[in-house]
Amino acid sequence: GLFVISARTTIDQSKDVVETIAQESLKLASTVTQKEMDKVKNQLLGIVERSVESIDDIGSELAIKKAVGGKIYDIDDDIALLKNVTLEQLQARAAEIFSTPPAVSAHGNNLEKLPSYEEISGAFGAVRHLDENGLLIQTEQERAAAVQRANAPGTAPATKTPSTSSPDSVDTASKESGELKPEMTVLENGLKVITIKMPTKQIYAELDAAVGDRHETAAEAGIVNVLGKLGRSASERLSVEEKGETIANLRGTSSGGVSAEHSTFNIRASNEFSEEALKILAESVTSPKLDDASIEKQKLAYKKQLIGQKNEARPNAKEQLYRLAFPGSQLDKNILSNPQAVDAISPEQLKAFREKNYTADNLTLTVVGDVDHAEIVKQAKAEFAGLAKGEAKPAVPPAKYRGGMEVKNNNEVDQVTMMIGFEGSDRSDPKTTAIDTLIGSILGGGFSSRLMSNLRTDKGYVYSVSASNAPAKDGGLFSISTWTEEKNLAPVIDEITKEVTRFASTVTQDELDVFKNDMIGNYERALASPESVGSIIGSQMANSGTLADFKEKIQNFKDVTLEDIQRRATEIFSTAPSVAAFGKGADKMPSYEEISEKFGKRRTLDASGLAVDTAPANDRSVKGADVSAQPQDKKRAIG
């Protein structure tokens, strides 16, 4: 086994970094507290318990445990191992680990200035020397001890001591997530500055730009992506001395789902480099590299990405689905753009788009960490002083849901990606969005969800299946996605329609409670991460112009009742289905008339592939649920 500590730094700071790592490592055994251990223990328990929702995690653990240990993986064993760790065991093991000789590797420039092995090993408590091959020279006493250990018969492992501490709640920032209090100041030019104080040694800063509710053309979708790549280069043109190598991960990207309603730039830095970090982050939008050579370089990089995605099934099926669901609105545009549109982008177009959309009033700066709000506001005023307010933009007409079917055969893709959509909730109604999110989780939100249990575990029809609601500003889409072979298309559709049409009348309180608790737990754990907190705050402000309320979101999930689930399921699945399929054998899909009839109402298609209502199907309606009529012995088992 190898216990590893890694770091990225400048060569001039390498000595300080080594000494700091050594000091923290050596004092761990004597200074680690029960509270620290319980915090990390509960985080790890949460990860292990959630791993049962992942096919990849289960498969990996089964294979590794059998191959390496000769035993079948048992999640209960892993949980017990973590729970039984005591503070004394942790202290003793830390002392053992850091008393062994260090192995040191380094890669980079000017490594002749790196501290010597004698200095590094000395920092860890014992000066050691190397031979001509870079391997540790052992003393005769050390060599004799090593031979004795190697020749000794196997010994029984140390007896486990039951933990005297068995915390039944997570003592982390997630427990206190409702206490996260954002402070906001709107500058004179309209820039919104938000800070959230968290006890961390690093800051996370995010800059969100509301680049428009929708992009009018494929060219605009390409522009926002190319601008994101150009903004990333803000730190690349600075020397190491100017930015400090401890600043890491400046990423400029466009984000926000199919509507691409905002772009995001973000950066992490240690507290002492927060000023430099915010300066670099500001340059992402105030002064990106817009010279001809830089623009052509980033256009070429983005075109390669688009060409690589040409035959990727999911992006294509998703594009088809949104065209059917919201025809004639900006939601139906190809948000990835295309190589031809990117080729046509001129430097003048990029600059004009930036000046129109990356204005002060369209920007939100969010900084999370051990920060002072007044200081961040002061720096923001200086860094963004050159940005003016933008002009008012015309309102975008609401997206109207329609439905329909589009199938694209592609023999270069082995399986068929099939997506079935219904009208979901938009972001203007967070309570309904919480209900729709839980419906998606119960139906297809993990390994123990209804569709996964049925289609994969029981029948083996699909590799994976999922269900979720994607809320945009003025239109939401509830979708079911799956990957299957051509021969299984018809039975997969049959099983999906059976599960959907019976859902409202068969969903149980037990199911709701299990998935509600999982949803709340995941959200609360996310709030222990400065990155998650900053992203939630920044994206909501950019998308909706409102400040995220963490307590309210958690309460919205808690307030969902079984009756809410039954009512909304009936509403969602009575809308016209949108059916998209892409891949080998996609043309073998049943007709839209057959599929829509299975969902409760026979519909046909017009010349554009959009749904036209016809007669209701006989005895196929999606019925509302009667809780009193649910037979107790029919409750679905979870897990």
Side-chain angles (χ1 to χ4, degrees):
L2 192 64
F3 187 100
V4 181
I5 299 171
S6 61
R8 289 163 294 280
T9 186
T10 61
I11 193 64
D12 293 334
Q13 293 173 312
S14 59
K15 184 177 180 180
D16 289 340
V17 169
V18 167
E19 290 178 351
T20 302
I21 289 173
Q23 289 167 9
E24 291 293 335
S25 300
L26 293 175
K27 74 180 185 182
L28 181 66
S30 60
T31 62
V32 64
T33 66
Q34 187 73 43
K35 185 175 181 180
E36 282 182 298
M37 189 186 75
D38 290 345
K39 171 184 174 180
V40 176
K41 184 187 289 189
N42 279 281
Q43 288 174 334
L44 292 173
L45 285 169
I47 292 170
V48 172
E49 289 169 343
R50 287 201 307 279
S51 70
V52 298
E53 297 295 318
S54 168
I55 298 171
D56 294 343
D57 287 350
I58 291 175
S60 177
E61 289 296 337
L62 283 169
I64 292 171
K65 289 289 173 68
K66 183 63 177 174
V68 177
K71 296 179 181 179
I72 295 296
Y73 172 60
D74 187 336
I75 187 174
D76 292 332
D77 287 347
D78 274 7
I79 291 172
L81 286 171
L82 285 170
K83 283 185 175 180
N84 290 335
V85 173
T86 67
L87 185 62
E88 293 73 24
Q89 288 174 323
L90 192 147
Q91 292 167 330
R93 189 66 188 124
E96 289 175 356
I97 290 171
F98 298 119
S99 66
T100 59
V104 183
S105 67
H107 183 84
N109 296 320
N110 302 316
L111 292 181
E112 66 276 6
K113 298 181 181 179
L114 190 75
S116 67
Y117 185 76
E118 287 77 9
E119 292 175 288
I120 295 173
S121 59
F124 279 91
V127 176
R128 295 176 166 97
H129 306 279
L130 302 177
D131 65 15
E132 64 273 18
N133 296 315
L135 299 176
L136 182 70
I137 296 175
Q138 295 178 323
T139 65
E140 287 301 319
Q141 183 179 358
E142 289 174 326
R143 184 175 291 112
V147 171
Q148 184 179 358
R149 285 197 302 272
N151 294 329
T155 55
T159 303
K160 297 176 183 176
T161 305
S163 174
T164 57
S165 172
S166 182
D168 49 20
S169 63
V170 182
D171 186 18
T172 65
S174 64
K175 180 180 178 182
E176 302 167 359
S177 58
E179 302 305 316
L180 294 173
K181 295 179 180 179
E183 290 187 71
M184 183 171 76
T185 297
V186 181
L187 305 187
E188 289 183 3
N189 60 3
L191 176 73
K192 294 169 282 293
V193 182
I194 303 171
T195 65
I196 297 179
K197 196 166 185 65
M198 292 180 73
T200 64
K201 294 182 180 180
Q202 287 192 335
I203 67 155
Y204 172 81
E206 179 167 305
L207 193 61
D208 288 86
V211 294
D213 294 330
R214 305 283 182 267
H215 297 300
E216 298 293 338
T217 65
E220 283 198 351
I223 286 171
V224 73
N225 282 282
V226 173
L227 274 176
K229 293 179 181 296
L230 289 164
R232 179 190 299 178
S233 62
S235 66
E236 293 174 358
R237 65 176 181 268
L238 300 176
S239 68
V240 170
E241 289 75 18
E242 287 175 309
K243 70 173 183 175
E245 200 62 22
T246 51
I247 293 178
N249 299 330
L250 175 65
R251 302 190 300 274
T253 62
S254 62
S255 61
V258 72
S259 57
E261 294 170 326
H262 74 283
S263 292
T264 302
F265 303 89
N266 49 56
I267 193 167
R268 286 187 291 272
S270 54
N271 286 339
E272 59 267 31
F273 282 92
S274 60
E275 187 173 336
E276 292 89 338
L278 291 188
K279 180 179 178 63
I280 292 172
L281 189 62
E283 289 180 358
S284 300
V285 295
T286 58
S287 53
K289 295 178 71 172
L290 293 178
D291 58 279
D292 291 351
S294 296
I295 290 172
E296 286 305 313
K297 176 183 175 181
Q298 298 304 338
K299 282 171 60 176
L300 179 62
Y302 187 49
K303 282 194 297 181
K304 288 181 178 178
Q305 177 184 335
L306 294 173
I307 292 169
Q309 291 173 328
K310 180 180 178 182
N311 289 323
E312 287 186 14
R314 184 169 175 78
N316 280 280
K318 188 174 182 180
E319 180 186 338
Q320 294 171 247
L321 190 72
Y322 273 86
R323 187 191 75 79
L324 299 164
F326 301 104
S329 71
Q330 258 57 52
L331 270 175
D332 72 345
K333 294 294 186 293
N334 177 2
I335 211 59
L336 289 175
S337 185
N338 55 64
Q340 294 75 26
V342 174
D343 258 334
I345 297 172
S346 68
E348 291 72 27
Q349 282 179 299
L350 279 170
K351 293 170 185 175
F353 185 89
R354 174 179 158 268
E355 290 173 2
K356 176 183 176 183
N357 292 283
Y358 290 79
T359 55
D361 55 315
N362 273 344
L363 291 173
T364 300
L365 173 65
T366 308
V367 185
V368 183
D370 191 9
V371 294
D372 179 84
H373 182 75
E375 285 298 317
I376 298 297
V377 169
K378 179 180 177 181
Q379 188 178 350
K381 285 180 179 179
E383 300 296 346
F384 295 91
L387 291 181
K389 284 186 177 181
E391 298 179 2
K393 297 176 182 177
V396 176
K400 186 176 181 181
Y401 182 84
R402 179 72 179 270
M405 183 168 176
E406 184 174 298
V407 171
K408 288 187 178 179
N409 212 58
N410 188 309
N411 290 328
E412 295 182 40
V413 180
D414 290 335
Q415 289 190 326
V416 177
T417 293
M418 180 178 65
M419 302 183 74
I420 303 175
F422 303 88
E423 185 173 10
S425 56
D426 60 41
R427 278 201 303 268
S428 66
D429 186 353
K431 293 184 181 297
T432 301
T433 297
I435 299 169
D436 291 4
T437 301
L438 284 167
I439 292 173
S441 294
I442 298 170
L443 261 180
F447 207 61
S448 59
S449 64
R450 286 190 170 201
L451 290 173
M452 185 68 94
S453 296
N454 183 356
L455 291 173
R456 180 184 167 85
T457 306
D458 296 345
K459 297 186 170 64
Y461 285 156
V462 302
Y463 171 73
S464 183
V465 60
S466 63
S468 62
N469 180 60
K473 185 174 182 179
D474 55 3
L477 185 65
F478 187 99
S479 61
I480 298 169
S481 307
T482 190
W483 301 263
T484 189
E485 294 178 288
E486 169 193 334
K487 65 180 182 180
N488 291 330
L489 281 171
V492 164
I493 290 173
D494 282 344
E495 294 302 325
I496 289 175
T497 54
K498 286 177 185 176
E499 202 65 73
V500 164
T501 53
R502 77 185 190 96
F503 183 81
S505 60
T506 60
V507 63
T508 69
Q509 186 67 50
D510 287 345
E511 284 180 296
L512 175 58
D513 290 342
V514 166
F515 285 94
K516 183 191 289 189
N517 290 333
D518 184 62
M519 189 69 62
I520 293 170
N522 286 338
Y523 186 74
E524 288 180 331
R525 281 190 292 271
L527 297 184
S529 161
E531 286 88 346
S532 296
V533 171
S535 180
I536 292 169
I537 289 284
S539 61
Q540 180 162 326
M541 183 58 70
N543 287 332
S544 307
T546 59
L547 199 57
D549 187 323
F550 304 117
K551 281 185 177 180
E552 181 182 49
K553 179 151 187 174
I554 293 170
Q555 193 60 48
N556 284 339
F557 282 121
K558 289 181 178 179
D559 289 343
V560 174
T561 67
L562 186 61
E563 290 73 20
D564 290 332
I565 296 289
Q566 294 163 337
R567 172 183 55 79
R568 269 300 290 165
T570 301
E571 293 172 355
I572 292 169
F573 300 129
S574 64
T575 61
S578 299
V579 184
F582 183 93
K584 186 177 182 179
D587 56 346
K588 301 299 190 295
M589 287 277 290
S591 69
Y592 185 74
E593 288 79 3
E594 294 175 87
I595 295 173
S596 61
E597 185 172 15
K598 291 176 184 293
F599 281 110
K601 184 176 183 180
R602 188 177 182 85
R603 296 175 168 97
T604 188
L605 302 175
D606 64 14
S608 301
L610 300 176
V612 178
D613 283 353
T614 55
N618 293 330
D619 301 321
R620 294 276 188 173
S621 60
V622 180
K623 297 179 174 62
D626 179 359
V627 183
S628 63
Q630 292 185 36
Q632 294 303 306
D633 60 346
K634 294 291 185 181
K635 286 188 175 181
R636 186 177 185 81
I638 302 298

